[in-house]
Amino acid sequence: MKIGLTLYTLRQFVQKPADMMETFTRVKKIGYNNVQLSALGRVDTHYLKKMLDNAGLFVCATHVSYDRLKNEFDKVIEEHEILRCPHIVIASMPQDMRNEQGYKKFAAECSEIGRRILSEGMDLSYHNHAFELMRYSGKTGLDIIYDESDKDCLFAEIDTYWIQYGGGDPSLWIKKMKDRIKVVHLKDMGIIDNTPAMFEVGEGNLNWQEIIAECKYSGVEWLVVEQDTCSGDPFDSVEISFKNLLSMGLEA
């Protein structure tokens, strides 16, 4: 397993090409070798790949909207071929599908999209938040997605914070997705003024020893740091998470 960083955490610093290059250089200097592309500003894909190569960064995964995969499939595939990126991840599902029948439809459509992506030499995953843990006829929305979809065509990108926030157990969800999970989002949960809050990995209250163990058991390839909100400088936060993961015996 290798450590990565989603650029969503640094989204305010990747809106213009000049800022992207500076950010990539800073990320590499911290020690990251791998990034997940998310929330970048407009940039030519060839130029983006050149900047990433110059910084020495590999794109282990991306976040792509469900609408783009449905309506711009060929363009998305072309971009990932340029980037040499193996994992395409749906960042979230449409608001109007967040009901029992919608989850079933989403699962079926993702299976078909994932099958097409596999034929292109890549794979498709879904990134959860907390809303998917709402129950419908006794099953969570997330269970419906994975029970109703083709296990060979749709993988999971479990987000540790959002699973915990929704009342789930991150370790159990990672274990449940054994052999069906390539990327995990790592962010910690703590409490501030009796309100759940995001923390750097290792600085909150999640059981990282158990989470990492289940990642190894389940065949996870990429442990991607993500922190949607940071109390201080986001670059300081991603560095703290990186150093803490190294101290847990993980590799950059």
Side-chain angles (χ1 to χ4, degrees):
M1 297 189 298
K2 298 288 186 182
I3 302 170
L5 171 68
T6 174
L7 295 175
Y8 184 77
T9 304
L10 303 175
R11 57 196 177 277
Q12 69 195 89
F13 307 104
V14 290
Q15 295 309 303
K16 299 178 181 179
D19 295 334
M20 292 177 194
M21 189 66 238
E22 181 179 349
T23 296
F24 297 161
T25 301
R26 292 183 69 179
V27 166
K28 179 68 174 183
K29 187 175 181 180
I30 289 170
Y32 288 96
N33 296 319
N34 312 288
V35 292
Q36 180 176 28
L37 301 186
S38 179
L40 271 69
R42 295 179 66 87
V43 60
D44 175 78
T45 307
H46 287 283
Y47 185 51
L48 174 60
K49 179 67 164 77
K50 182 177 180 180
M51 287 191 291
L52 289 160
D53 287 347
N54 287 341
L57 295 174
F58 172 71
V59 180
C60 61
T62 61
H63 265 182
V64 177
S65 73
Y66 182 60
D67 286 343
R68 279 205 77 205
L69 280 170
K70 290 186 69 176
N71 301 317
E72 301 178 30
F73 182 84
D74 291 342
K75 180 64 174 175
V76 171
I77 294 300
E78 179 186 2
E79 292 168 355
H80 286 73
E81 288 175 342
I82 294 169
L83 294 168
R84 298 184 181 277
C85 173
H87 306 303
I88 301 173
V89 184
I90 297 174
S92 189
M93 67 183 293
Q95 182 78 36
D96 61 2
M97 299 184 80
R98 298 175 190 180
N99 54 70
E100 185 170 1
Q101 292 306 312
Y103 279 109
K104 292 179 180 179
K105 180 180 179 182
F106 182 74
E109 292 183 355
C110 284
S111 294
E112 182 54 35
I113 294 171
R115 192 169 293 111
R116 294 176 66 193
I117 290 174
L118 283 174
S119 71
E120 301 289 345
M122 308 164 200
D123 57 49
L124 178 67
S125 299
Y126 178 70
H127 169 263
N128 69 276
H129 291 81
F131 66 81
E132 300 94 340
L133 294 185
M134 184 171 174
R135 289 183 175 271
Y136 304 86
S137 303
K139 293 180 66 173
T140 68
L142 202 57
D143 277 312
I144 295 172
I145 289 174
Y146 292 119
D147 287 350
E148 297 282 336
S149 59
D150 187 329
K151 65 181 178 61
D152 296 321
C153 298
L154 180 66
F155 294 82
E157 183 185 72
I158 294 297
D159 185 299
T160 57
Y161 176 93
W162 288 120
I163 290 290
Q164 187 74 40
Y165 188 94
D169 184 325
S171 299
L172 289 181
W173 265 102
I174 293 166
K175 184 177 183 179
K176 183 188 294 190
M177 294 293 104
K178 185 179 187 301
D179 299 326
R180 198 179 176 180
I181 181 168
K182 306 291 183 68
V183 186
V184 170
H185 269 192
L186 306 183
K187 55 176 169 276
D188 215 335
M189 174 182 276
I191 198 89
I192 298 176
D193 295 330
N194 207 36
T195 300
M198 294 181 185
F199 282 78
E200 295 80 5
V201 176
E203 301 296 315
N205 298 319
L206 296 189
N207 185 343
W208 290 106
Q209 183 176 357
E210 184 175 0
I211 288 170
I212 298 302
E214 292 301 347
C215 285
K216 292 178 180 177
Y217 168 78
S218 298
V220 172
E221 298 175 5
W222 301 102
L223 302 170
V224 177
V225 171
E226 181 181 51
Q227 192 170 339
D228 303 17
T229 58
C230 305
S231 59
D233 186 330
F235 285 97
D236 291 339
S237 289
V238 300
E239 183 169 7
I240 291 168
S241 290
F242 180 76
K243 289 181 176 178
N244 286 347
L245 286 169
L246 289 182
S247 73
M248 297 175 194
L250 297 166
E251 298 179 4

